[in-house]
Amino acid sequence: TGRGVGYTEAMSRWPVTFRDVLAARDRIRPYLSPTPLRRYEALDRAIGSGIRIHVKHENHNPTNAFKVRGALSVMTTLSGEERRRGVIAASRGNHGLGLAWTGRALGVPVTVCVPVGNNPDKNEAMRDLGAELVEEGGDYDAAVEVAGRIVKERGLVMVHATNDVRILAGAATLTLEMLEQAEDLEALVFGIGGGSQAVGGITVARELRPRLRVYGVQAERAPAIHDSWHAGRPIEGTSADTFADGLATRGVYAMTFDALREGLAGFVKVPESEIAESLRLLLATTHNLAEGAAAAGLAGTARLRGTLRGLRVGIVLTGSNIDAATLKRVLDEEI
């Protein structure tokens, strides 16, 4: 399930092209340096099954997260009139941080809609970068609705975290770097909330490494996109109550769902306890801090041990913007 048709057959509805990715890299390059891809023998031993893990450190970006790639990819294409109007987005934090950082760099006003009770450290960081925050709604999907309302009221430019070709192309640049840094990778495992990172990865893999397998992982407490993938049709979720806030979505997205169906070799979901254990393991073996969503790739790799046995596997430490209270709960094994 999920392998679907080949790249050539699917191109008529594939949301992003390799040419888009190369163009995004050219736009991003003046602002971001490539992030490191590293090996940790202690991590390999902990996972076992002869799996050799390569960790892409997107936490080394200026906002400590990969989402700044998509923000730059979009905002470097805006017209002068669009820049003057300003942009708006819904975010649990990292997309908003990327927009706020880019807005400061390019002189573009940024408004970010976050749900009530959002990560306080991410909220503070967005404000520190000059973003206007609107705190309304119970979760990410509700915040998207709030942003849509404000677009109509104020005429701001919407930058959706998933449904934008430029976002997908920007996210894909991290896989482009990975395949340039390690030519022998045999599989990639991505955490999937909206799917921008995975669809970008599939796009690059099909162009440069057609035999590379791409897998997805989602939190059990935000299962909608995982369950929809296995059902072959969108299933609306009722909850996305996971500490891995970057994965906290309760639906599928028009621009990524069909591509995920066609391109993923497999899709698993993992409980909160396994994400937390993977976060602790990343901290112990790489000495890098990870937020919940950033540990999902490792949790998925552990869940897929049998399938990935003996392979060279790439995962992405997507961000390190975890708040102190949540980190304490993880370290105290309360999650």
Side-chain angles (χ1 to χ4, degrees):
T1 300
R3 293 178 187 276
V5 297
Y7 183 68
T8 302
E9 299 167 57
M11 277 301 291
S12 62
R13 58 184 181 277
W14 198 261
V16 60
T17 69
F18 188 64
R19 182 177 295 179
D20 294 328
V21 179
L22 295 178
R25 180 170 67 174
D26 288 343
R27 294 195 303 274
I28 289 170
R29 185 177 282 154
Y31 303 94
L32 294 182
S33 300
T35 56
L37 184 73
R38 294 178 178 160
R39 291 287 321 284
Y40 301 92
E41 291 185 5
L43 188 56
D44 292 351
R45 287 195 301 271
I47 296 300
S49 297
I51 297 171
R52 288 151 288 176
I53 298 175
H54 296 67
V55 181
K56 181 67 167 166
H57 282 284
E58 288 295 286
N59 58 307
H60 291 190
N61 277 316
T63 60
N64 308 315
F66 87 97
K67 289 283 190 177
V68 70
R69 294 177 182 267
L72 277 165
S73 178
V74 171
M75 291 175 69
T76 50
T77 68
L78 297 180
S79 67
E81 188 271 336
E82 288 173 321
R83 292 188 183 198
R84 286 189 293 273
R85 283 161 55 195
V87 303
I88 188 170
S91 177
R92 289 300 302 264
N94 287 338
H95 178 53
L97 279 169
L99 289 172
W101 185 89
T102 304
R104 172 173 281 187
L106 300 180
V108 180
V110 173
T111 301
V112 182
C113 299
V114 301
V116 175
N118 194 53
N119 180 320
D121 292 353
K122 288 180 178 178
N123 287 356
E124 181 179 16
M126 285 184 277
R127 288 193 176 99
D128 286 346
L129 287 168
E132 174 190 347
L133 251 65
V134 177
E135 298 180 67
E136 186 177 340
D139 58 18
Y140 169 77
D141 294 278
V144 172
E145 295 177 6
V146 173
R149 186 193 73 217
I150 294 174
V151 166
K152 294 177 182 177
E153 295 170 352
R154 294 167 52 183
L156 304 179
V157 177
M158 175 71 88
V159 183
H160 194 279
T162 303
N163 284 332
D164 190 307
V165 170
R166 298 162 296 178
I167 289 288
L168 302 184
T173 61
L174 74 87
T175 298
L176 185 59
E177 288 178 15
M178 291 177 79
L179 299 190
E180 292 170 344
Q181 292 164 322
E183 296 181 356
D184 58 353
L185 286 175
E186 297 168 289
L188 301 173
V189 182
F190 293 113
I192 295 179
S196 63
Q197 188 183 179
V199 170
I202 294 164
T203 302
V204 173
R206 284 176 160 172
E207 180 71 25
L208 299 182
R209 207 77 52 77
R211 295 184 179 179
L212 185 69
R213 289 180 274 168
V214 179
Y215 296 88
V217 55
Q218 173 59 301
E220 277 189 354
R221 293 176 68 170
I225 196 165
H226 166 275
D227 294 353
S228 299
W229 187 88
H230 283 278
R233 59 180 175 81
I235 298 173
E236 190 71 20
T238 58
S239 175
D241 182 21
T242 171
F243 89 95
D245 51 19
L247 304 181
T249 55
R250 52 180 167 86
V252 304
Y253 296 91
M255 196 165 281
T256 57
F257 181 61
D258 286 344
L260 293 171
R261 283 281 303 154
E262 292 171 0
L264 288 180
F267 199 167
V268 297
K269 58 185 176 183
V270 293
E272 301 290 284
S273 60
E274 292 181 18
I275 298 173
E277 175 58 30
S278 293
L279 193 158
R280 292 189 291 269
L281 183 57
L282 283 167
L283 182 58
T285 57
T286 75
H287 302 288
N288 278 251
L289 187 61
E291 57 191 88
L298 183 60
T301 300
R303 180 59 70 98
L304 289 162
R305 278 188 186 96
T307 302
L308 300 174
R309 183 179 301 276
L311 298 185
R312 293 177 287 271
V313 178
I315 64 171
V316 185
L317 204 168
T318 52
S320 58
N321 296 314
I322 188 170
D323 65 277
T326 302
L327 178 61
K328 184 177 187 301
R329 289 172 58 215
V330 171
L331 296 180
D332 289 345
E333 300 189 16
E334 295 174 358
I335 297 178

